[in-house]
Amino acid sequence: MSEHNREQFRPDDHPNDHFLLTSIVGSYPKPKWLNRVSDLADDPDSKFTEEHLHEAHDDACRVIVDEHERTGLDTVSDGEMRRNEMVEFFADRIDGYEFNGPVKVWGHNYFDKPSVVDDVAYGESWLVDEFEFTNAAASKPVKVPITGPYTLASWSFNEAYDDDADLSYALADLVNEEVEALVEAGARYIQIDEPALATTPDDHAIVGECLDRIVAGIPDEVRIGLHVCYGDYSRIYPELLEYPIDEFDVELCNGDYEQIDVFTDPEFTTDLALGVVDVHTTDVESVEEIKANIREGFKIVPPERLTVSPDCGVKLLPREVARQKIENMVTATREIEAELDAGEIDLGPEVSAD
Amino acid sequence: MTELVATTPGLYPLPDWAKGELSDLKGHQKGDLITGDEGPEIVDVYDRARAEVVDAQVGAGLDRVVEGQPRWDDVLAHPLTIHENVETGGIVRYYDNNNFYRDPQVQGELTPSGDVAAELAAVDVDADALQAVLPGPYSLADLATDDHYGDEADFLDAVADFLAGEVEAFPGHETLFLLEPSLVESPPGDDTNERASDAIDRVAAATDADVVVHTYWGAVPEKTYAYLMDADVEAIGFDFVTETEDALYNINEYGTKDQVALGLVDGQNTLVESPETIRDRVEWVDERTHTDFERAYVTSNTELYYLPVNKFEEKLQALGDAAALAEVDA
């Protein structure tokens, strides 16, 4: 099913026969002014209201969508301008959660870890408004990242369910409801983010069951990706091939592709979304470096099953560095496609473009 | 009749105001974490944070008061990360948690530093209520990287001698908790079991106080437990939140000390146990073990810094109330 749902993202004016889908993982640096006005909106003495903040979010979304489009990306997003943190944002919208205060992650870095105190339920929509606004602002297809149920469960205090698996399944049903609403609104590219799986890889079957629930009733033309980062992929491979997804999105640039061999045996049977720029260094990779990184992907999948993306969300980078990385990534991808068209890239005996 | 002593394994969350003030004063990067030679402004924040958590324990009616370890940015690795002969490497995961500490890379001899002794001296309670907290030698060695001693056994001995030196400098204290989660999370191999137990002995010998070796995130493997019983300590601590059967098995198969520490309150969940629930859990353990304990330390299973401050304070109160409730009932 993945082949036909990938082709819908090929731009009408795509210059090459080959098409490597370019994408982002999710977050993008917020403009400084947005952080400033968010603080202002929190300040009771300020005249800057929630309505003003909403307007500022709208403006920021337009700016980032435009920035994505100018880099030439095939699929874009709003860079998660309205989201504060990947668990808090959703917990705030799901019935059954409460917040008690910050807890330590490391040093003086804290996270408002929420508690599940009652059965979770779908109250207000999480992302439909965000998607509709972004979709209207964009001329390219919009990708929607959603924090996955396993991560939403693992990074919360569980007061209400017998174990985290039960909580994950209950949350997966809600994610399914949200994905249905997004599809109804026109979304065709959804990415489930499960970073918690990297820390507890033995729970891969729980994530599998969650994904089964998430995609239940979702039409085939909707592309479903799964993003897992910063872990030992050999602990979840080849089990992840059983997942009902179109694409598995990996962070491998950070580790200089040391783990690439993990995915070669047994054969990788889903599409690969390969991280080709490192999001934890401000050095901007050259087009040539990125082209070499993209070619690493051909060790696993043929070009028609390769998606090109950054390792992870780029929000911690300075904005101009993030933009340059994405721009070089797109340039490198288009050059690789042209070289493939010209037959200049030897894909080796195992992976054929035909 | 078992005497119930309400206490905790320490490592508390910073009060929220201190989180904010210290973020501003120190910063957010790994180079900004505690060095051991912090300036007066930072010392002042820690003094106020310490006073607040000491008051919270006294107010909750706990029988033992800990310093709360507000300065331990690197969690149990703290006594090494501030040491002059230790360099701090990258940020590494703290056991199976979404928490991180700086990798302490030991570059030279582990001489006594007096860092923890100074913290204890700043706690304003009587010596008969003061409880010191340290990582156990096995766990501290497990959390560190040795670039100096070169041999695993020598390194463990050196860490034990270092901790013993720290304990010798302590002011008068009633109890010493040695936290040994690594005995569960990465237990010693067959050839290291005895050495791990001996290492604990060395640290315990440095104090006249009652020593509790507290284990958590499950039960210690039985062979390791059998060796642990050889250590000359007053009590072993068990995590009855994560796991019950293997802990009970160890106690009933190999016996335990005359005193025991019972981890009955979940240090990693905001659901607050009622005093009655805690008391029921004490009875539950008592009914399933064949030992008449002279004293039971009633505690959380883990450190408490995982919790937001409001729930942390409620858990302290529940522990204090549970011990009082049981005394009345008895």
Side-chain angles (χ1 to χ4, degrees), chain B residues 121-156:
Chain B
V123 178
D124 186 19
V125 295
D126 294 339
D128 63 2
L130 182 62
Q131 175 181 305
V133 172
L134 279 176
Y138 181 76
S139 296
L140 187 56
D142 179 48
L143 290 170
T145 303
D146 169 36
D147 289 334
H148 175 71
Y149 292 93
D151 176 88
E152 209 174 300
D154 291 346
F155 182 54
L156 179 56

mmCIF file of all heavy atoms in Angstrom, chain B residues 121-156:
data_model
loop_
_atom_site.group_PDB
_atom_site.id
_atom_site.type_symbol
_atom_site.label_atom_id
_atom_site.label_comp_id
_atom_site.label_asym_id
_atom_site.label_seq_id
_atom_site.Cartn_x
_atom_site.Cartn_y
_atom_site.Cartn_z
ATOM 1 N N ALA B 121 26.274 18.508 58.052
ATOM 2 C CA ALA B 121 26.524 19.438 59.156
ATOM 3 C C ALA B 121 25.562 20.624 59.087
ATOM 4 O O ALA B 121 25.303 21.283 60.093
ATOM 5 C CB ALA B 121 27.967 19.917 59.106
ATOM 6 N N ALA B 122 25.031 20.878 57.897
ATOM 7 C CA ALA B 122 24.135 22.020 57.723
ATOM 8 C C ALA B 122 22.680 21.682 58.051
ATOM 9 O O ALA B 122 21.809 22.543 57.973
ATOM 10 C CB ALA B 122 24.237 22.524 56.285
ATOM 11 N N VAL B 123 22.416 20.425 58.412
ATOM 12 C CA VAL B 123 21.030 20.029 58.720
ATOM 13 C C VAL B 123 20.741 20.342 60.187
ATOM 14 O O VAL B 123 21.450 19.881 61.082
ATOM 15 C CB VAL B 123 20.817 18.526 58.457
ATOM 16 C CG1 VAL B 123 19.393 18.118 58.838
ATOM 17 C CG2 VAL B 123 21.083 18.208 56.994
ATOM 18 N N ASP B 124 19.685 21.098 60.405
ATOM 19 C CA ASP B 124 19.390 21.560 61.752
ATOM 20 C C ASP B 124 18.422 20.602 62.468
ATOM 21 O O ASP B 124 17.259 20.936 62.691
ATOM 22 C CB ASP B 124 18.786 22.983 61.663
ATOM 23 C CG ASP B 124 18.596 23.590 63.041
ATOM 24 O OD1 ASP B 124 19.230 23.111 64.001
ATOM 25 O OD2 ASP B 124 17.798 24.545 63.137
ATOM 26 N N VAL B 125 18.927 19.398 62.775
ATOM 27 C CA VAL B 125 18.150 18.480 63.641
ATOM 28 C C VAL B 125 19.135 17.784 64.583
ATOM 29 O O VAL B 125 20.342 17.777 64.352
ATOM 30 C CB VAL B 125 17.365 17.385 62.863
ATOM 31 C CG1 VAL B 125 16.281 17.973 62.002
ATOM 32 C CG2 VAL B 125 18.295 16.494 62.063
ATOM 33 N N ASP B 126 18.603 17.184 65.638
ATOM 34 C CA ASP B 126 19.465 16.477 66.586
ATOM 35 C C ASP B 126 20.064 15.234 65.928
ATOM 36 O O ASP B 126 19.458 14.633 65.035
ATOM 37 C CB ASP B 126 18.665 16.052 67.821
ATOM 38 C CG ASP B 126 18.185 17.267 68.601
ATOM 39 O OD1 ASP B 126 18.791 18.351 68.425
ATOM 40 O OD2 ASP B 126 17.197 17.134 69.353
ATOM 41 N N ALA B 127 21.222 14.848 66.448
ATOM 42 C CA ALA B 127 21.920 13.698 65.860
ATOM 43 C C ALA B 127 21.074 12.429 65.933
ATOM 44 O O ALA B 127 21.154 11.565 65.050
ATOM 45 C CB ALA B 127 23.254 13.483 66.576
ATOM 46 N N ASP B 128 20.223 12.303 66.948
ATOM 47 C CA ASP B 128 19.455 11.057 67.066
ATOM 48 C C ASP B 128 18.290 10.985 66.077
ATOM 49 O O ASP B 128 17.573 9.984 66.032
ATOM 50 C CB ASP B 128 18.985 10.816 68.506
ATOM 51 C CG ASP B 128 18.046 11.900 68.993
ATOM 52 O OD1 ASP B 128 17.724 12.813 68.199
ATOM 53 O OD2 ASP B 128 17.625 11.839 70.163
ATOM 54 N N ALA B 129 18.103 12.063 65.309
ATOM 55 C CA ALA B 129 17.081 12.007 64.248
ATOM 56 C C ALA B 129 17.718 12.062 62.863
ATOM 57 O O ALA B 129 17.032 11.893 61.857
ATOM 58 C CB ALA B 129 16.098 13.170 64.407
ATOM 59 N N LEU B 130 19.016 12.312 62.800
ATOM 60 C CA LEU B 130 19.654 12.555 61.501
ATOM 61 C C LEU B 130 19.967 11.239 60.782
ATOM 62 O O LEU B 130 20.558 10.323 61.357
ATOM 63 C CB LEU B 130 20.951 13.352 61.695
ATOM 64 C CG LEU B 130 21.709 13.738 60.413
ATOM 65 C CD1 LEU B 130 20.861 14.657 59.533
ATOM 66 C CD2 LEU B 130 23.035 14.420 60.763
ATOM 67 N N GLN B 131 19.555 11.186 59.527
ATOM 68 C CA GLN B 131 19.873 10.031 58.688
ATOM 69 C C GLN B 131 20.758 10.463 57.521
ATOM 70 O O GLN B 131 20.375 11.327 56.733
ATOM 71 C CB GLN B 131 18.593 9.392 58.145
ATOM 72 C CG GLN B 131 18.878 8.252 57.155
ATOM 73 C CD GLN B 131 17.602 7.656 56.604
ATOM 74 O OE1 GLN B 131 16.734 7.224 57.356
ATOM 75 N NE2 GLN B 131 17.480 7.639 55.279
ATOM 76 N N ALA B 132 21.928 9.875 57.435
ATOM 77 C CA ALA B 132 22.809 10.147 56.297
ATOM 78 C C ALA B 132 22.411 9.241 55.132
ATOM 79 O O ALA B 132 21.882 8.146 55.336
ATOM 80 C CB ALA B 132 24.254 9.893 56.698
ATOM 81 N N VAL B 133 22.674 9.706 53.926
ATOM 82 C CA VAL B 133 22.375 8.927 52.716
ATOM 83 C C VAL B 133 23.600 8.958 51.800
ATOM 84 O O VAL B 133 24.180 10.013 51.576
ATOM 85 C CB VAL B 133 21.160 9.529 51.966
ATOM 86 C CG1 VAL B 133 20.978 8.854 50.615
ATOM 87 C CG2 VAL B 133 19.891 9.421 52.801
ATOM 88 N N LEU B 134 23.967 7.809 51.317
ATOM 89 C CA LEU B 134 25.055 7.711 50.331
ATOM 90 C C LEU B 134 24.705 6.626 49.316
ATOM 91 O O LEU B 134 23.941 5.705 49.635
ATOM 92 C CB LEU B 134 26.371 7.297 51.007
ATOM 93 C CG LEU B 134 27.210 8.343 51.728
ATOM 94 C CD1 LEU B 134 28.408 7.670 52.392
ATOM 95 C CD2 LEU B 134 27.682 9.441 50.781
ATOM 96 N N PRO B 135 25.284 6.718 48.125
ATOM 97 C CA PRO B 135 25.199 5.547 47.247
ATOM 98 C C PRO B 135 26.009 4.420 47.877
ATOM 99 O O PRO B 135 27.038 4.684 48.515
ATOM 100 C CB PRO B 135 25.871 6.030 45.953
ATOM 101 C CG PRO B 135 26.754 7.158 46.364
ATOM 102 C CD PRO B 135 26.098 7.811 47.551
ATOM 103 N N GLY B 136 25.573 3.199 47.719
ATOM 104 C CA GLY B 136 26.394 2.079 48.144
ATOM 105 C C GLY B 136 27.596 1.960 47.222
ATOM 106 O O GLY B 136 27.559 2.440 46.075
ATOM 107 N N PRO B 137 28.662 1.332 47.685
ATOM 108 C CA PRO B 137 29.881 1.280 46.867
ATOM 109 C C PRO B 137 29.684 0.551 45.539
ATOM 110 O O PRO B 137 30.234 0.955 44.515
ATOM 111 C CB PRO B 137 30.876 0.536 47.766
ATOM 112 C CG PRO B 137 30.049 -0.165 48.792
ATOM 113 C CD PRO B 137 28.829 0.680 48.991
ATOM 114 N N TYR B 138 28.891 -0.495 45.544
ATOM 115 C CA TYR B 138 28.711 -1.239 44.298
ATOM 116 C C TYR B 138 28.002 -0.369 43.259
ATOM 117 O O TYR B 138 28.399 -0.304 42.093
ATOM 118 C CB TYR B 138 27.931 -2.538 44.539
ATOM 119 C CG TYR B 138 27.758 -3.329 43.264
ATOM 120 C CD1 TYR B 138 28.819 -4.057 42.734
ATOM 121 C CD2 TYR B 138 26.556 -3.305 42.566
ATOM 122 C CE1 TYR B 138 28.690 -4.749 41.534
ATOM 123 C CE2 TYR B 138 26.411 -3.996 41.369
ATOM 124 C CZ TYR B 138 27.474 -4.719 40.860
ATOM 125 O OH TYR B 138 27.349 -5.392 39.685
ATOM 126 N N SER B 139 26.938 0.324 43.693
ATOM 127 C CA SER B 139 26.195 1.170 42.751
ATOM 128 C C SER B 139 27.035 2.341 42.271
ATOM 129 O O SER B 139 27.015 2.690 41.084
ATOM 130 C CB SER B 139 24.907 1.691 43.401
ATOM 131 O OG SER B 139 24.052 0.614 43.697
ATOM 132 N N LEU B 140 27.795 2.966 43.190
ATOM 133 C CA LEU B 140 28.592 4.121 42.784
ATOM 134 C C LEU B 140 29.662 3.697 41.771
ATOM 135 O O LEU B 140 29.895 4.393 40.776
ATOM 136 C CB LEU B 140 29.229 4.795 44.005
ATOM 137 C CG LEU B 140 29.959 6.112 43.720
ATOM 138 C CD1 LEU B 140 29.040 7.127 43.035
ATOM 139 C CD2 LEU B 140 30.537 6.706 45.005
ATOM 140 N N ALA B 141 30.283 2.562 42.010
ATOM 141 C CA ALA B 141 31.284 2.067 41.052
ATOM 142 C C ALA B 141 30.613 1.740 39.723
ATOM 143 O O ALA B 141 31.158 2.007 38.643
ATOM 144 C CB ALA B 141 31.996 0.844 41.615
ATOM 145 N N ASP B 142 29.404 1.176 39.804
ATOM 146 C CA ASP B 142 28.669 0.804 38.593
ATOM 147 C C ASP B 142 28.301 2.037 37.762
ATOM 148 O O ASP B 142 28.297 1.983 36.527
ATOM 149 C CB ASP B 142 27.403 0.034 39.018
ATOM 150 C CG ASP B 142 26.549 -0.384 37.840
ATOM 151 O OD1 ASP B 142 27.110 -0.939 36.876
ATOM 152 O OD2 ASP B 142 25.319 -0.162 37.878
ATOM 153 N N LEU B 143 27.998 3.148 38.430
ATOM 154 C CA LEU B 143 27.587 4.366 37.718
ATOM 155 C C LEU B 143 28.780 5.117 37.129
ATOM 156 O O LEU B 143 28.606 6.010 36.308
ATOM 157 C CB LEU B 143 26.825 5.304 38.671
ATOM 158 C CG LEU B 143 25.436 4.846 39.123
ATOM 159 C CD1 LEU B 143 24.915 5.741 40.253
ATOM 160 C CD2 LEU B 143 24.450 4.855 37.965
ATOM 161 N N ALA B 144 29.992 4.766 37.565
ATOM 162 C CA ALA B 144 31.172 5.546 37.185
ATOM 163 C C ALA B 144 31.974 4.835 36.099
ATOM 164 O O ALA B 144 31.749 3.665 35.786
ATOM 165 C CB ALA B 144 32.046 5.776 38.410
ATOM 166 N N THR B 145 32.927 5.577 35.536
ATOM 167 C CA THR B 145 33.891 5.012 34.593
ATOM 168 C C THR B 145 35.273 5.128 35.225
ATOM 169 O O THR B 145 35.652 6.200 35.697
ATOM 170 C CB THR B 145 33.870 5.816 33.272
ATOM 171 O OG1 THR B 145 32.537 5.794 32.755
ATOM 172 C CG2 THR B 145 34.818 5.205 32.247
ATOM 173 N N ASP B 146 35.992 4.033 35.264
ATOM 174 C CA ASP B 146 37.320 4.044 35.878
ATOM 175 C C ASP B 146 38.397 4.240 34.817
ATOM 176 O O ASP B 146 38.592 3.391 33.966
ATOM 177 C CB ASP B 146 37.542 2.727 36.630
ATOM 178 C CG ASP B 146 38.995 2.566 37.049
ATOM 179 O OD1 ASP B 146 39.607 3.594 37.394
ATOM 180 O OD2 ASP B 146 39.503 1.429 37.018
ATOM 181 N N ASP B 147 39.083 5.363 34.902
ATOM 182 C CA ASP B 147 40.225 5.594 34.006
ATOM 183 C C ASP B 147 41.530 5.631 34.794
ATOM 184 O O ASP B 147 42.546 6.118 34.309
ATOM 185 C CB ASP B 147 40.061 6.936 33.260
ATOM 186 C CG ASP B 147 38.953 6.881 32.218
ATOM 187 O OD1 ASP B 147 38.659 5.775 31.719
ATOM 188 O OD2 ASP B 147 38.373 7.939 31.912
ATOM 189 N N HIS B 148 41.495 5.166 36.051
ATOM 190 C CA HIS B 148 42.687 5.305 36.890
ATOM 191 C C HIS B 148 43.141 3.979 37.498
ATOM 192 O O HIS B 148 44.308 3.608 37.390
ATOM 193 C CB HIS B 148 42.408 6.313 38.005
ATOM 194 C CG HIS B 148 43.523 6.435 39.000
ATOM 195 N ND1 HIS B 148 44.723 7.035 38.684
ATOM 196 C CD2 HIS B 148 43.637 6.007 40.288
ATOM 197 C CE1 HIS B 148 45.521 6.987 39.751
ATOM 198 N NE2 HIS B 148 44.894 6.370 40.728
ATOM 199 N N TYR B 149 42.213 3.257 38.127
ATOM 200 C CA TYR B 149 42.619 2.066 38.880
ATOM 201 C C TYR B 149 42.892 0.868 37.963
ATOM 202 O O TYR B 149 43.706 0.009 38.281
ATOM 203 C CB TYR B 149 41.566 1.730 39.939
ATOM 204 C CG TYR B 149 41.525 2.776 41.035
ATOM 205 C CD1 TYR B 149 40.642 3.847 40.958
ATOM 206 C CD2 TYR B 149 42.391 2.717 42.115
ATOM 207 C CE1 TYR B 149 40.618 4.830 41.940
ATOM 208 C CE2 TYR B 149 42.377 3.695 43.103
ATOM 209 C CZ TYR B 149 41.485 4.747 43.013
ATOM 210 O OH TYR B 149 41.478 5.714 43.971
ATOM 211 N N GLY B 150 42.139 0.807 36.866
ATOM 212 C CA GLY B 150 42.482 -0.176 35.846
ATOM 213 C C GLY B 150 41.933 -1.570 36.070
ATOM 214 O O GLY B 150 41.855 -2.364 35.148
ATOM 215 N N ASP B 151 41.526 -1.865 37.279
ATOM 216 C CA ASP B 151 41.049 -3.210 37.580
ATOM 217 C C ASP B 151 39.712 -3.066 38.315
ATOM 218 O O ASP B 151 39.583 -2.256 39.232
ATOM 219 C CB ASP B 151 42.083 -3.906 38.482
ATOM 220 C CG ASP B 151 41.613 -5.275 38.929
ATOM 221 O OD1 ASP B 151 41.863 -6.239 38.204
ATOM 222 O OD2 ASP B 151 40.969 -5.345 40.001
ATOM 223 N N GLU B 152 38.737 -3.846 37.883
ATOM 224 C CA GLU B 152 37.383 -3.714 38.421
ATOM 225 C C GLU B 152 37.355 -3.901 39.941
ATOM 226 O O GLU B 152 36.699 -3.152 40.668
ATOM 227 C CB GLU B 152 36.485 -4.744 37.738
ATOM 228 C CG GLU B 152 35.049 -4.331 37.631
ATOM 229 C CD GLU B 152 34.243 -5.350 36.816
ATOM 230 O OE1 GLU B 152 34.572 -5.568 35.632
ATOM 231 O OE2 GLU B 152 33.333 -5.923 37.398
ATOM 232 N N ALA B 153 38.093 -4.904 40.411
ATOM 233 C CA ALA B 153 38.108 -5.190 41.850
ATOM 234 C C ALA B 153 38.786 -4.051 42.613
ATOM 235 O O ALA B 153 38.282 -3.587 43.646
ATOM 236 C CB ALA B 153 38.831 -6.512 42.110
ATOM 237 N N ASP B 154 39.904 -3.578 42.098
ATOM 238 C CA ASP B 154 40.601 -2.467 42.762
ATOM 239 C C ASP B 154 39.725 -1.221 42.791
ATOM 240 O O ASP B 154 39.722 -0.463 43.761
ATOM 241 C CB ASP B 154 41.908 -2.132 42.017
ATOM 242 C CG ASP B 154 42.941 -3.235 42.179
ATOM 243 O OD1 ASP B 154 42.752 -4.097 43.063
ATOM 244 O OD2 ASP B 154 43.922 -3.234 41.404
ATOM 245 N N PHE B 155 39.010 -1.023 41.701
ATOM 246 C CA PHE B 155 38.166 0.175 41.629
ATOM 247 C C PHE B 155 37.050 0.107 42.673
ATOM 248 O O PHE B 155 36.783 1.077 43.379
ATOM 249 C CB PHE B 155 37.596 0.320 40.213
ATOM 250 C CG PHE B 155 36.764 1.553 40.026
ATOM 251 C CD1 PHE B 155 37.274 2.806 40.348
ATOM 252 C CD2 PHE B 155 35.461 1.469 39.537
ATOM 253 C CE1 PHE B 155 36.509 3.952 40.185
ATOM 254 C CE2 PHE B 155 34.694 2.609 39.377
ATOM 255 C CZ PHE B 155 35.221 3.851 39.703
ATOM 256 N N LEU B 156 36.402 -1.052 42.768
ATOM 257 C CA LEU B 156 35.330 -1.200 43.764
ATOM 258 C C LEU B 156 35.884 -0.969 45.176
ATOM 259 O O LEU B 156 35.270 -0.276 45.992
ATOM 260 C CB LEU B 156 34.691 -2.589 43.640
ATOM 261 C CG LEU B 156 33.568 -2.908 44.623
ATOM 262 C CD1 LEU B 156 32.439 -1.874 44.547
ATOM 263 C CD2 LEU B 156 32.988 -4.304 44.344
#
